[in-house]
Amino acid sequence: ETGVTQSPTHLIKTRGQQVTLRCSSQSGHNTVSWYQQALGQGPQFIFQYYREEENGRGNFPPRFSGLQFPNYSSELNVNALELDDSALYLCATEGQGALEQYFGPGTRLTVT
Amino acid sequence: EDQVTQSPEALRLQEGESSSLNCSYTVSGLRGLFWYRQDPGKGPEFLFTLYSAGEEKEKERLKATLTKKESFLHITAPKPEDSATYLCAVQAPAGSYQLTFGKGTKLSVIP
């Protein structure tokens, strides 16, 4: 049990729409990272938040944005959805070890 | 740019048939190399962290090793429940938890 939860489990959206995905972790986890995993690929780093500030970003356009809240929850927002945004979206927080990250179960987003 | 290459892409084993998965990496200043297990439609499950060449870690039928250029995940006498995709990832820049993943090896263990 990682203590990381994500909602919703599945989501279907239409091209051009906007979507918000949510992640919650146990108290004391100051860092949250978001990843996109396309079918048959490894997860790709989107961005990371540390104490409510963005602290690193991967090669994703500005229509991917995020927020981290004082209660250790986080949101990933994607505007102007494209078909290629269909993927499993994962959030991760730091684990017990110095560098470890524990992942949530993911949100499966389908864009039609 | 950090790169992680995993081989083979897919591996079918008979139950009890031991084998190894390979993860080759190119990174400037490795902070850690990670192995995860991922079942279909689920989030990756943490297995191991390796920090320096020569390090080894074991968990049940799995053993991970690390050299300066690659890591191996050895699976001894696998069971059908070991069937999953195994992901390798590296972490490089200081001050960030960013992981760079390979595409994974899909392992199928046949009874």
Side-chain angles (χ1 to χ4, degrees), chain A residues 33-78:
Chain A
S33 301
W34 284 90
Y35 291 80
Q36 179 196 67
Q37 186 176 23
L39 200 61
Q41 303 294 315
Q44 297 290 315
F45 177 73
I46 302 175
F47 46 58
Q48 175 184 290
Y49 279 78
Y50 176 73
R51 292 185 176 179
E52 304 171 45
E53 296 287 333
E54 187 176 296
N55 184 35
R57 189 177 185 92
N59 188 27
F60 280 82
R63 60 189 185 84
F64 285 78
S65 63
L67 288 171
Q68 185 184 24
F69 302 101
N71 65 352
Y72 304 103
S73 65
S74 174
E75 289 182 355
L76 165 65
N77 299 289
V78 187

Side-chain angles (χ1 to χ4, degrees), chain B residues 47-48 57-63 73-75 86:
Chain B
L47 294 174
F48 303 110
K57 289 193 176 174
E58 290 187 64
K59 179 181 180 180
E60 296 181 351
R61 295 177 292 280
L62 301 176
K63 178 180 177 180
L73 184 65
H74 307 278
I75 303 176
Y86 290 85

Side-chain angles (χ1 to χ4, degrees), chain A residues 99, chain B residues 2-4 23-34 49-55 65-71 88-94 98-100:
Chain A
L99 303 176
Chain B
D2 301 341
Q3 289 189 335
V4 178
C23 171
S24 298
Y25 64 91
T26 303
V27 63
S28 177
L30 179 72
R31 296 180 72 208
L33 184 140
F34 304 81
T49 307
L50 301 168
Y51 295 99
S52 58
E55 189 175 2
T65 62
L66 181 65
T67 72
K68 289 186 178 180
K69 293 183 178 181
E70 57 190 350
S71 177
C88 171
V90 297
Q91 190 177 86
Q98 176 179 346
L99 296 175
T100 300

Side-chain angles (χ1 to χ4, degrees), chain A residues 73-91:
Chain A
S73 65
S74 174
E75 289 182 355
L76 165 65
N77 299 289
V78 187
N79 294 321
L81 284 167
E82 301 177 358
L83 297 179
D84 286 348
D85 296 332
S86 296
L88 181 68
Y89 288 84
L90 300 160
C91 74

